[in-house]
Amino acid sequence: MAHIDHGKSTLADRILELTASVDPRKMREQFLDSMDLERERGITIKMQAVRLRYEAEDGATYEFGLIDTPGHVDFSYEVSRSLKACEGAVLLIDAAQGVEAQTISNLNLAIDEGLEIIPVINKIDLPVARVAQTEDEIIGLIGGTRDEILKVSAKTGEGVPELLEAIAQRIPPPKGNSDAPLQALIFDSHYDPYRGTVCYVRVMNGEVEDGDAIRMMNTGKRFDVSGCGYFRPQLEETGHLSAGDVGYIFAGIKDIGDAQVGDTITLNQRPAGKPVPGFRRVKPLVFCGFYAADNEDYDDLKAALARLSLNDSALQYEQESSEALGFGFRCGFLGLLHMEIVQERLEREYQLDIVATAPSVAFEVELRDGGVQTVDNPARIPPPDEIRCIKEPYVLGTILTPVQYQSALIELCKERRGELKDIQYFTSERANIYFYLPLSEILYEFYDALKTQSRGLASFDYELAGYRESDLVRVDILINKEPADALAFMAHRKRAQQRGREVVEILRRTIPRHLFIVPVQAAIGSNIIARETIPALRKDVIAKCYGGDITRKRKLLERQRKGKQRMRSIGSVSIPQEAFLAVLKQDGGKKK
Amino acid sequence: MIIEKSSPPKDHATRYSLPATSGLYIHIPFCLQRCAYCDFASYALNALPNGLSFGSYADALIKEARLAAKERGAPRFSTLYFGGGTPSLMPLDELRRIVAALRESFNVSQIEEFTLEANPDTLDGEKLASWRELGVNRLSLGIQSLSDTSLKELGRSYSREEALGALARHRDELAAFDLSFDLLLNIPWQNPSQVLDDIRTLYAFEPVHLSLYSLKVEPGTPLAMRVANEPELAPDKDRFADEMGAAEKLLEESGFARYEVSNFARDGKWSLHNLTYWRGGNYLGLGVNATSCIRGVRTRNHREFADYRAALMRNELPVAERAELTETERAFERLMLALRTMWGISRDELPLRIWKKLQAKAEELAERHPQLIVAIPERIALTSAGMNVEHALVVELAEGDLWGEPV
């Protein structure tokens, strides 16, 4: 485990090579990242498990499981799940970057699980490597001595044999009793069109074999095991798993919801007394609407989301409709990167052209009549006079930064309505700043601002920190007096007017003139806070039209006609998709 | 800003029915120099491609006329139009040869209107007299502007003084023709009121027809390159509407009617030849890049003289593109062209099933935008303000299943 870009997947490649787990002819970079998108972006989205055989210096052959995990904060739930299946963790730290925010959050996860931690400094071959300082930072973080820290270059392979030896010597073998009733924790799953759901399990106690009748302890669903074995990394059928093993089970489970990640599998005949303490189902934090750019692709979008969600349990979606955009889906994500990746996969793997509405968080709305609603779509926030207060999710953010950027970053967080909680120093040069921030404030360009203010040296991580009351208002955008539901947004009262002005200005520039004057307004309730006017069209004709111009004119008009048919209509105003995109992009939709 | 006139077409116009016409167009691709904004098929005299001369071009035209006549069986035409380029540059003997060949190949005995396009600096007494003898009865004079700055920037070959001098010198000979002047609106180098001054100045020569075009930036022209560097020169749509509104008011006071988007005439002196285009009539075009449309088949000749002549050498018509329009395409063209004129489109010009839906749509549109469109049971027409936004209105009228899928 490591902060993003510290070299996990490259190190995994070296380990696969040294343990001869992969046919050298099939070896390629980022071997365990199977998605095109992962390889292209150089990131890991989904964890991968593999069982390795290692002949140690003491002459013994050790079997151990390796799980390569994502580094990005959006996918930290993958890390926490995979740690449940482990006895130890390699904490990888980039020698040039030093300890970063996710290094600490991952470390805390591993400590919570009581794992043996092997600190490793990677990229020691880099000219800019700061090995000694990084060692100081690690010692400041977890104590210990310099010689407990391994130094490797995952790129050149230097130090990797020593790491394998350390894994064999330092990490204890799994505990557990093969004679006890079966407890196999499902820590991940994926859907295979031929075998159904493939459950990734860690057998805590007991044994399981092909043909066993099993039961999901949470859902109570029963199945018959039709195959089990190890990841090598391809599936190696053994027909048998026992306590301490990490492997897979499939049992003709057609609905992936029947094998929930975190559930415990036990034997139907001899059930365990209680399930393994699992993990809570991950809750989406960021929501947006996905619409097919061409409404006729709705069914394709629906099918594509259903397929994607089979292998992405964190993706949630439900049907919604928008007057402006037609039928689509309200989708919930772990963060903006997750949202971006799902959108990109829909576009690449399913050839869909997607319009995404502005990302939003889920608000808790307390009504005057005493009711409470959770609303994740600004257009669904009740009118102001029905609301007693609105609460929004907050996070506890951790910023790790060289001390010279500390005050600029504190300033940044204050601008974002942040509340400083604490500052810690674990070396004299590195500050650890803790802030409470509204989640919505870190969605838009926060990372970019953070990187700009710190010349790329600060890192950021966060965890949810409950809901707090805020002075939030819903801003409606009216086009020719009709609200454009897809463009409604939530804003802090002090910022509402500024943002409203920006949006109507963009719309004035991007909505073509019509045969009539089109007012574009931003409003809080019935109170107009910004207004622009699109003047009526006064010229739309080719002046010269004689024999030779007629075909050209017909084609021009046909194009104009076709363009108009593709536009969305609100208040009898045709709105080109570019206008929506210009507003939504401005709002967030941060692209790398 | 000038308030646009929003009166519906005159009663006489909505009842008027124009006779069916058919036109013969001859393209003359020679110019003294290329104008900065022009993307027509034309060649500057000092940069003629190999093999192109007045003589070789006349030869080619004559050959094409004979081939076309043979192919189509010597059709009859009611109008003849020499356009360009600058047809007035054509030496008289060559012009005579061409006209003789046309008389030989086609039935032009009933020609009602014979137009020749001319630039003011190409006029001389002998030419004017000979044109008259040849049967030319209408001259279309490309003035564009009487501002010296604009003329220079546009790359025209004459000054204000030269243009007005030539017109004055030949006042008597010119009086033998119906005169039409072309002027450009939306010229960024001149004041918006310049065009009004120019119209008043030109009244002295008693035109019966005026064409007011908008300066348009065509891709690949020197003007386009210039606008790319100086975006403030790009034509402004509001300015067009303002200039057109003011010019229209002035012209109407003098008895001119805006009978088409860009054309004004008085005493019913519409351009019959051009009306053929707007009313879906048949026309045959000869010369480089010329287009023809006969009974729904549209063709376009080769644009380059070398290709054009090579085809003729092989005794083939020099056609580069040919398209046969579907019934729906013809109807759609009919609509988009007819709505350019003050007569609009009438019930008998379209298949009934299309007319019925169209009429319902037009009534609905007229209800919403009475200042733009007029719909009565037999006819749909645009107001002046409507003509300025004709494309948007046609797109509104064409919405839905009426015209099938856009191509």
Side-chain angles (χ1 to χ4, degrees), chain B residues 99-114:
Chain B
V99 174
L102 299 178
R103 291 190 198 288
E104 204 177 283
S105 305
F106 306 107
N107 180 350
V108 289
S109 59
Q110 311 277 308
I111 290 288
E112 287 176 63
E113 179 191 277
F114 183 168

PDB file of all heavy atoms in Angstrom, chain B residues 99-114:
ATOM      1  N   VAL B  99     -22.996  35.236 -78.593  1.00  0.00           N
ATOM      2  CA  VAL B  99     -24.447  35.473 -78.703  1.00  0.00           C
ATOM      3  C   VAL B  99     -24.993  34.830 -79.982  1.00  0.00           C
ATOM      4  O   VAL B  99     -26.071  34.209 -79.985  1.00  0.00           O
ATOM      5  CB  VAL B  99     -24.773  36.981 -78.641  1.00  0.00           C
ATOM      6  CG1 VAL B  99     -26.255  37.234 -78.900  1.00  0.00           C
ATOM      7  CG2 VAL B  99     -24.371  37.548 -77.279  1.00  0.00           C
ATOM      8  N   ALA B 100     -24.213  34.916 -81.068  1.00  0.00           N
ATOM      9  CA  ALA B 100     -24.654  34.296 -82.316  1.00  0.00           C
ATOM     10  C   ALA B 100     -24.829  32.791 -82.136  1.00  0.00           C
ATOM     11  O   ALA B 100     -25.817  32.194 -82.600  1.00  0.00           O
ATOM     12  CB  ALA B 100     -23.646  34.602 -83.422  1.00  0.00           C
ATOM     13  N   ALA B 101     -23.861  32.195 -81.435  1.00  0.00           N
ATOM     14  CA  ALA B 101     -23.934  30.740 -81.229  1.00  0.00           C
ATOM     15  C   ALA B 101     -25.150  30.380 -80.380  1.00  0.00           C
ATOM     16  O   ALA B 101     -25.789  29.343 -80.598  1.00  0.00           O
ATOM     17  CB  ALA B 101     -22.661  30.248 -80.568  1.00  0.00           C
ATOM     18  N   LEU B 102     -25.472  31.247 -79.389  1.00  0.00           N
ATOM     19  CA  LEU B 102     -26.639  30.971 -78.547  1.00  0.00           C
ATOM     20  C   LEU B 102     -27.915  31.021 -79.371  1.00  0.00           C
ATOM     21  O   LEU B 102     -28.815  30.192 -79.219  1.00  0.00           O
ATOM     22  CB  LEU B 102     -26.728  31.975 -77.390  1.00  0.00           C
ATOM     23  CG  LEU B 102     -25.545  31.987 -76.404  1.00  0.00           C
ATOM     24  CD1 LEU B 102     -25.748  33.068 -75.340  1.00  0.00           C
ATOM     25  CD2 LEU B 102     -25.380  30.617 -75.745  1.00  0.00           C
ATOM     26  N   ARG B 103     -27.978  32.019 -80.259  1.00  0.00           N
ATOM     27  CA  ARG B 103     -29.171  32.145 -81.118  1.00  0.00           C
ATOM     28  C   ARG B 103     -29.314  30.924 -82.028  1.00  0.00           C
ATOM     29  O   ARG B 103     -30.421  30.467 -82.306  1.00  0.00           O
ATOM     30  CB  ARG B 103     -29.062  33.405 -81.976  1.00  0.00           C
ATOM     31  CG  ARG B 103     -29.183  34.683 -81.173  1.00  0.00           C
ATOM     32  CD  ARG B 103     -29.309  35.893 -82.107  1.00  0.00           C
ATOM     33  NE  ARG B 103     -29.015  37.143 -81.413  1.00  0.00           N
ATOM     34  CZ  ARG B 103     -29.818  37.703 -80.512  1.00  0.00           C
ATOM     35  NH1 ARG B 103     -30.970  37.136 -80.210  1.00  0.00           N
ATOM     36  NH2 ARG B 103     -29.479  38.814 -79.924  1.00  0.00           N
ATOM     37  N   GLU B 104     -28.166  30.444 -82.440  1.00  0.00           N
ATOM     38  CA  GLU B 104     -28.146  29.289 -83.326  1.00  0.00           C
ATOM     39  C   GLU B 104     -28.605  28.021 -82.604  1.00  0.00           C
ATOM     40  O   GLU B 104     -29.341  27.211 -83.131  1.00  0.00           O
ATOM     41  CB  GLU B 104     -26.694  29.109 -83.763  1.00  0.00           C
ATOM     42  CG  GLU B 104     -26.436  28.394 -85.054  1.00  0.00           C
ATOM     43  CD  GLU B 104     -24.932  28.415 -85.278  1.00  0.00           C
ATOM     44  OE1 GLU B 104     -24.400  29.479 -85.693  1.00  0.00           O
ATOM     45  OE2 GLU B 104     -24.286  27.400 -84.969  1.00  0.00           O
ATOM     46  N   SER B 105     -28.129  27.880 -81.347  1.00  0.00           N
ATOM     47  CA  SER B 105     -28.354  26.620 -80.638  1.00  0.00           C
ATOM     48  C   SER B 105     -29.689  26.559 -79.894  1.00  0.00           C
ATOM     49  O   SER B 105     -30.275  25.493 -79.751  1.00  0.00           O
ATOM     50  CB  SER B 105     -27.245  26.391 -79.606  1.00  0.00           C
ATOM     51  OG  SER B 105     -25.993  26.444 -80.237  1.00  0.00           O
ATOM     52  N   PHE B 106     -30.139  27.695 -79.380  1.00  0.00           N
ATOM     53  CA  PHE B 106     -31.346  27.680 -78.546  1.00  0.00           C
ATOM     54  C   PHE B 106     -32.415  28.577 -79.143  1.00  0.00           C
ATOM     55  O   PHE B 106     -32.127  29.426 -79.991  1.00  0.00           O
ATOM     56  CB  PHE B 106     -31.026  28.173 -77.127  1.00  0.00           C
ATOM     57  CG  PHE B 106     -29.903  27.428 -76.474  1.00  0.00           C
ATOM     58  CD1 PHE B 106     -28.658  28.012 -76.310  1.00  0.00           C
ATOM     59  CD2 PHE B 106     -30.094  26.114 -76.048  1.00  0.00           C
ATOM     60  CE1 PHE B 106     -27.621  27.314 -75.716  1.00  0.00           C
ATOM     61  CE2 PHE B 106     -29.050  25.407 -75.448  1.00  0.00           C
ATOM     62  CZ  PHE B 106     -27.804  26.010 -75.281  1.00  0.00           C
ATOM     63  N   ASN B 107     -33.626  28.364 -78.660  1.00  0.00           N
ATOM     64  CA  ASN B 107     -34.712  29.259 -79.051  1.00  0.00           C
ATOM     65  C   ASN B 107     -34.721  30.447 -78.096  1.00  0.00           C
ATOM     66  O   ASN B 107     -35.172  30.344 -76.958  1.00  0.00           O
ATOM     67  CB  ASN B 107     -36.040  28.491 -78.987  1.00  0.00           C
ATOM     68  CG  ASN B 107     -37.200  29.371 -79.374  1.00  0.00           C
ATOM     69  OD1 ASN B 107     -37.056  30.589 -79.518  1.00  0.00           O
ATOM     70  ND2 ASN B 107     -38.371  28.766 -79.537  1.00  0.00           N
ATOM     71  N   VAL B 108     -34.157  31.584 -78.573  1.00  0.00           N
ATOM     72  CA  VAL B 108     -34.096  32.772 -77.730  1.00  0.00           C
ATOM     73  C   VAL B 108     -34.856  33.924 -78.377  1.00  0.00           C
ATOM     74  O   VAL B 108     -34.612  35.096 -78.083  1.00  0.00           O
ATOM     75  CB  VAL B 108     -32.628  33.178 -77.420  1.00  0.00           C
ATOM     76  CG1 VAL B 108     -32.000  32.183 -76.461  1.00  0.00           C
ATOM     77  CG2 VAL B 108     -31.793  33.267 -78.680  1.00  0.00           C
ATOM     78  N   SER B 109     -35.773  33.571 -79.234  1.00  0.00           N
ATOM     79  CA  SER B 109     -36.520  34.616 -79.938  1.00  0.00           C
ATOM     80  C   SER B 109     -37.484  35.346 -79.004  1.00  0.00           C
ATOM     81  O   SER B 109     -37.875  36.470 -79.263  1.00  0.00           O
ATOM     82  CB  SER B 109     -37.289  33.999 -81.107  1.00  0.00           C
ATOM     83  OG  SER B 109     -38.164  33.012 -80.580  1.00  0.00           O
ATOM     84  N   GLN B 110     -37.866  34.681 -77.915  1.00  0.00           N
ATOM     85  CA  GLN B 110     -38.840  35.276 -76.999  1.00  0.00           C
ATOM     86  C   GLN B 110     -38.176  35.895 -75.768  1.00  0.00           C
ATOM     87  O   GLN B 110     -38.839  36.049 -74.737  1.00  0.00           O
ATOM     88  CB  GLN B 110     -39.821  34.208 -76.508  1.00  0.00           C
ATOM     89  CG  GLN B 110     -40.433  33.356 -77.591  1.00  0.00           C
ATOM     90  CD  GLN B 110     -41.622  34.042 -78.223  1.00  0.00           C
ATOM     91  OE1 GLN B 110     -42.524  34.470 -77.525  1.00  0.00           O
ATOM     92  NE2 GLN B 110     -41.608  34.172 -79.543  1.00  0.00           N
ATOM     93  N   ILE B 111     -36.881  36.171 -75.836  1.00  0.00           N
ATOM     94  CA  ILE B 111     -36.174  36.694 -74.664  1.00  0.00           C
ATOM     95  C   ILE B 111     -36.813  38.005 -74.184  1.00  0.00           C
ATOM     96  O   ILE B 111     -36.949  38.951 -74.939  1.00  0.00           O
ATOM     97  CB  ILE B 111     -34.689  36.948 -75.011  1.00  0.00           C
ATOM     98  CG1 ILE B 111     -33.941  35.624 -75.203  1.00  0.00           C
ATOM     99  CG2 ILE B 111     -33.991  37.787 -73.934  1.00  0.00           C
ATOM    100  CD1 ILE B 111     -33.698  34.847 -73.958  1.00  0.00           C
ATOM    101  N   GLU B 112     -37.217  38.000 -72.915  1.00  0.00           N
ATOM    102  CA  GLU B 112     -37.840  39.209 -72.362  1.00  0.00           C
ATOM    103  C   GLU B 112     -36.809  40.083 -71.680  1.00  0.00           C
ATOM    104  O   GLU B 112     -36.975  41.292 -71.573  1.00  0.00           O
ATOM    105  CB  GLU B 112     -38.869  38.828 -71.279  1.00  0.00           C
ATOM    106  CG  GLU B 112     -40.135  38.216 -71.816  1.00  0.00           C
ATOM    107  CD  GLU B 112     -41.006  37.790 -70.645  1.00  0.00           C
ATOM    108  OE1 GLU B 112     -41.431  38.670 -69.873  1.00  0.00           O
ATOM    109  OE2 GLU B 112     -41.245  36.570 -70.507  1.00  0.00           O
ATOM    110  N   GLU B 113     -35.793  39.415 -71.129  1.00  0.00           N
ATOM    111  CA  GLU B 113     -34.829  40.161 -70.337  1.00  0.00           C
ATOM    112  C   GLU B 113     -33.444  39.618 -70.672  1.00  0.00           C
ATOM    113  O   GLU B 113     -33.221  38.409 -70.659  1.00  0.00           O
ATOM    114  CB  GLU B 113     -35.134  39.942 -68.849  1.00  0.00           C
ATOM    115  CG  GLU B 113     -34.182  40.642 -67.910  1.00  0.00           C
ATOM    116  CD  GLU B 113     -34.387  40.158 -66.463  1.00  0.00           C
ATOM    117  OE1 GLU B 113     -35.296  40.679 -65.799  1.00  0.00           O
ATOM    118  OE2 GLU B 113     -33.635  39.245 -66.029  1.00  0.00           O
ATOM    119  N   PHE B 114     -32.540  40.516 -71.032  1.00  0.00           N
ATOM    120  CA  PHE B 114     -31.167  40.125 -71.385  1.00  0.00           C
ATOM    121  C   PHE B 114     -30.256  41.012 -70.557  1.00  0.00           C
ATOM    122  O   PHE B 114     -30.107  42.198 -70.790  1.00  0.00           O
ATOM    123  CB  PHE B 114     -30.956  40.323 -72.891  1.00  0.00           C
ATOM    124  CG  PHE B 114     -29.588  39.901 -73.428  1.00  0.00           C
ATOM    125  CD1 PHE B 114     -29.374  39.804 -74.802  1.00  0.00           C
ATOM    126  CD2 PHE B 114     -28.512  39.607 -72.587  1.00  0.00           C
ATOM    127  CE1 PHE B 114     -28.138  39.425 -75.320  1.00  0.00           C
ATOM    128  CE2 PHE B 114     -27.279  39.222 -73.084  1.00  0.00           C
ATOM    129  CZ  PHE B 114     -27.087  39.139 -74.468  1.00  0.00           C
TER     130      PHE B 114
END
